[in-house]
Amino acid sequence: MNILTKSFETNYNTAPFSQIKNEDYVPAFQEAIAETKGEIEQIATNSQAATFENTIEALSFSGMQLDRISNIFFNLHSAETNDELEKIAVQVAPMLAELSSDITLNYELFLKIKEVYDQKDNLNLSPEQETLLTKNYRDFVRNGALLSDEKKKELRGIDQEMSVLKLNFAEHVLADTNAYQLHILKKEDLHGLPDSVIEAAHELAKEEGKEGWIFTLDYPSYIPFMTYASNRELRKELAIAAGKKGFQDNANNNEEIILKIAKLRHQRAKLLGYDSHAHFKLEERMAQNPNTVTSFLNDLLAKGKPAALIEFAELSQYAKEKDGLDHLEKWDGSYYSEKLKQERFNLDDEKLRPYFKLDNVLNGVFEIAHRLYGLNFKEIQNIDKYHPEVQTYEVSTDEGDLVAVFYADFFPRKGKRNGAWMTSYKSQYIKDDHNERPHVSIVCNFTRPTSSKPSLLTFNEVTTLFHEFGHALHGMLADTTYPTLSGTSVFWDFVELPSQIMENWCYEEEALKLFAKHYETGETIPMEYIQKIKDSASFLEGLATVRQLSFGLLDMGWHGQDPSAISKVKDFETQQFAETAIYPDVKENVMSTSFSHIFDGGYSSGYYSYKWAEVLDADAFDYFQQEGIFNREVAKKFKDNILSKGGTEHPMKLYKQFRGKEPSVDPLLKRAGLI
């Protein structure tokens, strides 16, 4: 029996992970694809006149079983993969790309949608229905519905080829990440590293049956090493290894792949009548076109770069005085920044760690969600997990109504990709008067517990947890009719607002006192530490801003113009970084070949949205600060106009309903200490 093709008889209708066998996936995908094709065929060939209900609504609720299977499979492919799942992904990706093309290039279906769209002014639709109709019509036009048969065939070919290239890209990055280890045998090479980091490295070596200590390119291992290890040669080795993922002379080289992806994206955009991939993507964003994005990034660069150059000179001078360094290199940045931060603020991340026990931080973020939105989190053991380390929660209101099921997966593993993300196993929607509640997950790579200590987070990991939890709230509090507009299904440059605004609570005394307690003594974090966290929040912010802007500009370089003249990835990248480069270049390194956000993760032409959302989040949090950071009225406005609304209306309209005005850039510049 194939469990994936049946309705799940489980608590809360959750995914039955333990009953799924790898060999179930392909047949389940085949069956669900066939079922979806049947549903589409029924809509397209319906002999009755097209109406909103029999066409637009029917389309929104088609393919639900396929969505369910895809969510389970691709979430595991990111969080708990293995060779077998990698092979299945390569097999399934073109099948899904073909189905997507079958739907968007179905001319009969498009004519039905157009029939409804042409009479939309007389249909008395709700704002959500109007958004759904316009989005469907646009999606079809943007995906080739008006193309000739020959061009449709070309588009289909491009989409299939790209679906496989993106998978190859991700597999290569993961393979290069897993292939590298820094194996240390001499104790003196560990000088400067905190005990917890040394202990974790020793445990990793032990697991592999080796002596000494092992450091990897996984962030909880890599970042502390780059920040604290005083052996400069080893920092250099690790930094170069991290910077050449996908850029080595081996089977995982991604240069050809990214050149191909960029060219295919451009070809696709031209085919659809757009000047570039960025023009195509940004039509469906708040920013709307590449000029707006480039001016936005360059405007912030003009404000941030003078500060960054002063900070770099200061850091260089500090390294020279401290250790006689003539040139500050990339592998020196984190190390001397941390040293200078400790001296200036007497604030050491390692001093803070004992106050950020993972369990306490998690309970803290739950308590904040309760004070703002009336949510309660109860850990449950009666649903399946895909890995024993995953924690599962029932989320409910004070009245006891179910809001969501929440999964949390915190530690690095072999089969998990780097970074942190939020995702969902099941979307929220309303059908037959029943509000189906979502199943939401956050996946992170935090510092593991060791045999002598629980998981103690760096402050950076604390803000990451709050960030992903903000995305999770966007998913959990969704309250829309249609699954395709629910939760995080919003314009890409709006999606980071709910996540980034949550980070602000990490800097507030009132919030920190709820969870920042010493893991051994239970003592609340001292007030002076809280003040130092606040004071140091804008430390070296100029350098951080320029770095972030450089990624956005690199993204626009790849996607805002015709890439066919690019032959050497390294040369192209150097040229794109000309205005933002502050540290000397490292010849062995390239960013693009492992820039997963834009070549695998959906951020192509969208990396600027992190900064864009910072403008929104600083402006929105400014409102909370004026009224009180736990003010229920402001929280209710944020929930009702932003968190629950998904993509049902234009984001600027939703933002103005919440804030009463358009966002201002001033709170961001003030927070960053740039004005």
Side-chain angles (χ1 to χ4, degrees), residues 31-51:
E31 188 175 315
I33 286 170
E35 190 183 311
T36 306
K37 280 181 175 172
E39 291 167 349
I40 297 299
E41 192 56 25
Q42 216 171 343
I43 300 167
T45 58
N46 188 343
S47 56
Q48 294 174 320
T51 64

Side-chain angles (χ1 to χ4, degrees), residues 527-633:
M527 188 53 225
E528 71 199 76
Y529 282 9
I530 294 178
Q531 196 49 51
K532 283 171 183 173
I533 288 173
K534 285 189 87 120
D535 292 344
S536 66
S538 59
F539 175 63
L540 301 184
E541 188 56 42
L543 281 168
T545 297
V546 171
R547 180 174 180 268
Q548 184 85 324
L549 296 173
S550 75
F551 300 163
L553 289 163
L554 175 64
D555 173 26
M556 293 312 287
W558 276 111
H559 297 117
Q561 58 190 357
D562 182 351
S564 54
I566 306 168
S567 56
K568 290 264 191 305
V569 171
K570 176 74 177 177
D571 294 351
F572 172 73
E573 196 171 280
T574 307
Q575 184 193 331
Q576 295 306 307
F577 284 151
E579 290 304 309
T580 54
I582 290 179
Y583 283 88
D585 180 52
V586 181
K587 69 175 191 308
E588 302 93 327
N589 287 182
V590 143
M591 172 162 186
S592 301
T593 53
S594 62
F595 198 172
S596 300
H597 274 80
I598 69 168
F599 288 110
D600 166 44
Y603 273 84
S604 62
S605 306
Y607 201 86
Y608 75 91
S609 58
Y610 282 107
K611 265 288 170 241
W612 187 275
E614 275 185 53
V615 171
L616 298 176
D617 100 66
D619 186 71
F621 192 66
D622 192 44
Y623 189 17
F624 273 100
Q625 284 176 306
Q626 287 168 31
E627 305 297 329
I629 66 162
F630 289 119
N631 183 296
R632 269 284 176 101
E633 275 173 52

Side-chain angles (χ1 to χ4, degrees), residues 284-493:
E284 296 281 271
R285 303 284 190 261
M286 287 175 85
Q288 295 191 318
N289 61 64
N291 289 348
T292 310
V293 172
T294 310
S295 325
F296 168 71
L297 295 173
N298 283 325
D299 187 38
L300 279 177
L301 183 61
K303 293 183 170 90
K305 194 174 176 179
L309 291 170
I310 291 166
E311 289 165 4
F312 184 73
E314 210 178 316
L315 204 55
S316 300
Q317 186 57 32
Y318 174 74
K320 192 177 174 83
E321 284 165 13
K322 198 162 184 62
D323 293 325
L325 240 67
D326 283 338
H327 298 290
L328 202 64
E329 300 284 356
K330 284 184 180 164
W331 44 86
D332 301 317
S334 299
Y335 179 75
Y336 287 104
S337 298
E338 183 61 26
K339 288 267 182 287
L340 182 57
K341 186 166 98 178
Q342 283 177 31
E343 278 186 26
R344 186 165 297 174
F345 303 101
N346 189 18
L347 183 69
D348 172 1
D349 244 350
E350 289 304 310
K351 245 190 227 165
L352 294 176
R353 230 191 242 267
Y355 294 96
F356 296 128
K357 181 181 167 186
L358 173 59
D359 295 349
N360 294 346
V361 179
L362 191 58
N363 289 329
V365 84
F366 290 165
E367 176 58 26
I368 289 166
H370 180 253
R371 292 188 182 198
L372 292 170
Y373 309 115
L375 298 178
N376 300 291
F377 291 77
K378 182 177 97 185
E379 188 159 12
I380 50 174
Q381 304 296 345
N382 62 346
I383 65 172
D384 249 1
K385 304 171 179 192
Y386 57 86
H387 189 279
E389 287 178 343
V390 176
Q391 292 163 246
T392 43
Y393 297 85
E394 174 196 89
V395 188
S396 60
T397 62
D398 285 336
E399 295 71 44
D401 297 326
L402 180 71
V403 174
V405 172
F406 177 56
Y407 299 84
D409 178 0
F410 289 124
F411 306 116
R413 294 186 295 273
K414 257 281 188 273
K416 189 197 267 196
R417 68 177 168 86
N418 247 328
W421 61 94
M422 165 268 177
T423 184
S424 77
Y425 284 95
K426 176 172 174 264
S427 297
Q428 174 275 334
Y429 57 91
I430 299 169
K431 198 174 186 198
D432 304 328
D433 292 330
H434 180 66
N435 196 326
E436 286 282 343
R437 298 314 302 164
H439 301 170
V440 170
S441 171
I442 62 174
V443 187
C444 307
N445 281 278
F446 290 155
T447 305
R448 275 190 167 280
T450 64
S451 49
S452 66
K453 286 192 185 81
S455 173
L456 301 174
L457 305 185
T458 62
F459 186 68
N460 189 35
E461 289 175 324
V462 174
T463 58
T464 298
L465 175 53
F466 272 68
H467 179 102
E468 297 309 331
F469 189 78
H471 281 310
L473 287 172
H474 202 182
M476 290 189 263
L477 290 169
D479 193 18
T480 65
T481 305
Y482 305 108
T484 46
L485 298 176
S486 178
T488 55
S489 304
V490 298
F491 278 6
W492 204 264
D493 48 7

